[in-house]
Amino acid sequence: MHTFLKTLICAALLSASGQASGQSPRPASDQSGNLAPDRAGDSQQSVPRKGPNPRGAPVETAPPNVPEFKPAFPGQTRAPAVQTRTAFQVTEVASGFNKPWAIAFLPDRRMLVTEKPTGSLYIVTPQGAKSPPVAGLPPVDGRNQGGLLDVEIGPDYAQSRLIYWTYYEPREGGNGLAVARARLVEGEKPRVEDVKVIFRMQPTLESTLHAGGRLVFTPDGKLFVTLGERSIREGRVQARDLKSHFGKIVRINPDGSVPRDNPFVGRKDARPEIWSLGHRNVLSAALDKQKRLWVVEMGPRGGDELNRPEAGKDYGWPTIGYGEEYSGEPIHESTQGPGMEQPVYYWDPVISPSGMAIYSGDLFPEWRENIFIGGLSSQALVRLVMKNDRVVGEERLLTDLHARIREVVQGPEGALYLLTDADNGRLLKLTPR
């Protein structure tokens, strides 16, 4: 009875909120400096609809946390539900990982897999055999959201053997995200040599939250690094400050130098690595077929966002947004502001996004150009159908696994590979049946 009543209430709220444009004023955020502990979306549970959806109904059936905030344009939230027609299967490749975070494919289809709290990196065969931990990586601050995060192979890996990774770097006075690279030496006891830190988030702050950490190489050899705003108020207020790396996406060369065409190069009041600003905590990033960067960023209670960051643009956090504190206290006065970009799409309640792939393979033709996002609190693989850079459909897959999905990547053969966020994390492969 409780579930039935909840469904009726949710349907009524969705009908009332609709897709109307506009915004409602909201009281200013508390300035005391006290924030509710960040829960990375764990304090919410979204309820995927089971079975066929009524025509035009959205996937999400839970009511919004901030119903007074309305979308700025039709389709900005709660897109119509879609359903995959292709039958598929999920196969376990390997297990026994302690909160794994990222996957990167080597040229021979073996995988690099990171383990967040331990700072361990493994080489995993397509059959699931794991190497010993790769030796030589620097120590990590593995508390809470910290540890060893993303990993990617260099664009010239075949010649250089260089791999790149992000991690919470312990420092005097706190910690911060760092990007390192090194040469991978394989064998029975794999190791890295010639480790070099090519980027350090500044300033240093004592926080175990919101450092971002995704890496994306572009075809011209540049490297995007996503950065969070550290969650605590001291960091949050720097998300739109060009003198700080907090809440930014940065763009660097593979050696850590700054590309000459970055948008803020030459400005004395800005860090030259910055590409875009006003982000909260970006844990999902990928390139589309036009080689443009897309990201999904972790929102507060409500307000996860899909964005397409462009050079020099401001995405508004924490001045504008669609969510609220976990305590229920307001953050934003409104959802729009001059000089600040609107998200392409947002979720309220949140999906707690981490990991992202834009599908381009041959195994699932109906999924081409769809966006796939790992859902933590939503315990789902979230699929977005895109048209003209807008979301026109949404689906929640793999909800029967009851697993927090941390990473999503497309394999060389067109399968989707996933990591589950657990003490006994699993590496899964999704293929047609």
Side-chain angles (χ1 to χ4, degrees):
M1 180 61 73
H2 174 73
T3 302
F4 176 72
L5 289 174
K6 182 176 180 181
T7 302
L8 290 178
I9 292 168
C10 294
L13 284 168
L14 289 175
S15 176
S17 63
Q19 299 292 319
S21 62
Q23 58 184 353
S24 300
R26 190 147 169 85
S29 178
D30 170 27
Q31 299 299 314
S32 65
N34 296 318
L35 299 179
D38 189 283
R39 300 284 295 278
D42 291 345
S43 60
Q44 297 177 263
Q45 290 297 324
S46 53
V47 184
R49 191 187 297 273
K50 300 294 185 182
N53 291 66
R55 184 176 180 84
V59 168
E60 184 60 71
T61 58
N65 289 293
V66 195
E68 62 268 35
F69 280 169
K70 307 301 181 185
F73 53 84
Q76 194 183 20
T77 192
R78 298 177 184 262
V82 293
Q83 289 187 310
T84 293
R85 298 183 299 275
T86 305
F88 60 84
Q89 61 188 359
V90 179
T91 305
E92 180 178 292
V93 177
S95 62
F97 297 101
N98 185 353
K99 293 183 170 59
W101 211 89
I103 303 167
F105 278 90
L106 295 168
D108 62 2
R109 297 195 176 187
R110 289 178 302 157
M111 291 158 276
L112 301 175
V113 177
T114 63
E115 212 174 59
K116 184 177 76 69
T118 66
S120 297
L121 174 68
Y122 297 93
I123 301 173
V124 183
T125 69
Q127 296 74 35
K130 290 191 290 186
S131 72
V134 175
L137 275 70
V140 304
D141 184 341
R143 297 173 295 160
N144 203 341
Q145 295 175 8
L148 178 61
L149 305 179
D150 208 1
V151 63
E152 291 289 346
I153 68 169
D156 61 346
Y157 179 82
Q159 294 77 39
S160 69
R161 314 294 289 182
L162 288 175
I163 64 170
Y164 296 71
W165 66 92
T166 58
Y167 64 105
Y168 276 50
E169 179 185 49
R171 304 176 188 166
E172 184 177 351
N175 56 42
L177 191 90
V179 181
R181 76 177 191 181
R183 186 166 59 89
L184 180 64
V185 180
E186 301 183 39
E188 292 185 7
K189 296 181 179 180
R191 66 187 189 277
V192 290
E193 293 182 343
D194 303 322
V195 175
K196 177 185 177 183
V197 176
I198 62 169
F199 173 82
R200 285 186 167 95
M201 168 193 273
Q202 296 293 342
T204 295
L205 188 68
E206 176 55 44
S207 173
T208 62
L209 305 170
H210 291 198
R214 288 292 175 188
L215 297 172
V216 178
F217 275 104
T218 59
D220 62 357
K222 302 299 187 286
L223 177 60
F224 283 115
V225 186
T226 72
L227 304 174
E229 34 71 287
R230 313 312 311 274
S231 184
I232 61 175
R233 191 174 303 280
E234 181 183 350
R236 177 189 285 189
V237 297
Q238 299 179 45
R240 299 179 60 216
D241 181 353
L242 291 172
K243 296 185 294 295
S244 168
H245 285 138
F246 296 168
K248 310 300 190 300
I249 292 171
V250 299
R251 177 175 177 256
I252 57 177
N253 292 314
D255 63 358
S257 62
V258 177
R260 290 179 293 178
D261 60 346
N262 269 10
F264 300 107
V265 166
R267 282 184 50 169
K268 294 181 180 179
D269 64 340
R271 292 186 181 269
E273 302 90 356
I274 294 174
W275 176 261
S276 60
L277 60 148
H279 302 284
R280 185 174 183 266
N281 192 29
V282 181
L283 301 181
S284 308
L287 299 181
D288 64 13
K289 71 173 184 177
Q290 300 175 57
K291 308 308 177 185
R292 301 175 303 174
L293 180 67
W294 290 78
V295 302
V296 185
E297 54 192 276
M298 188 86 70
R301 191 170 180 262
D304 286 349
E305 294 184 359
L306 170 69
N307 284 299
R308 185 169 67 81
E310 296 183 73
K313 291 192 175 181
D314 180 352
Y315 292 82
W317 176 263
T319 307
I320 62 171
Y322 288 89
E324 63 186 7
E325 304 285 13
Y326 285 95
S327 65
E329 291 295 314
I331 301 171
H332 318 291
E333 291 187 359
S334 69
T335 61
Q336 301 178 41
M340 290 174 277
E341 303 299 312
Q342 279 292 301
V344 173
Y345 194 71
Y346 73 88
W347 292 265
D348 181 9
V350 297
I351 58 170
S352 303
S354 182
M356 179 178 177
I358 301 178
Y359 191 76
S360 61
D362 295 326
L363 290 185
F364 294 94
E366 71 170 305
W367 284 354
R368 287 199 190 107
E369 299 179 43
N370 291 184
I371 295 175
F372 289 86
I373 307 154
L376 296 173
S377 68
S378 52
Q379 297 188 358
L381 176 63
V382 179
R383 172 191 172 212
L384 299 180
V385 180
M386 306 296 294
K387 183 178 181 180
N388 298 324
D389 289 347
R390 297 294 188 201
V391 178
V392 297
E394 181 175 356
E395 183 176 18
R396 305 286 173 91
L397 297 163
L398 309 186
T399 56
D400 56 330
L401 294 182
H402 304 291
R404 291 164 53 89
I405 297 177
R406 170 62 74 181
E407 169 73 309
V408 187
V409 298
Q410 180 181 315
E413 81 283 34
L416 284 181
Y417 288 77
L418 316 173
L419 290 174
T420 63
D421 180 52
D423 294 340
N424 181 22
R426 298 189 292 163
L427 170 59
L428 306 175
K429 180 172 71 171
L430 199 157
T431 54
R433 189 162 55 202

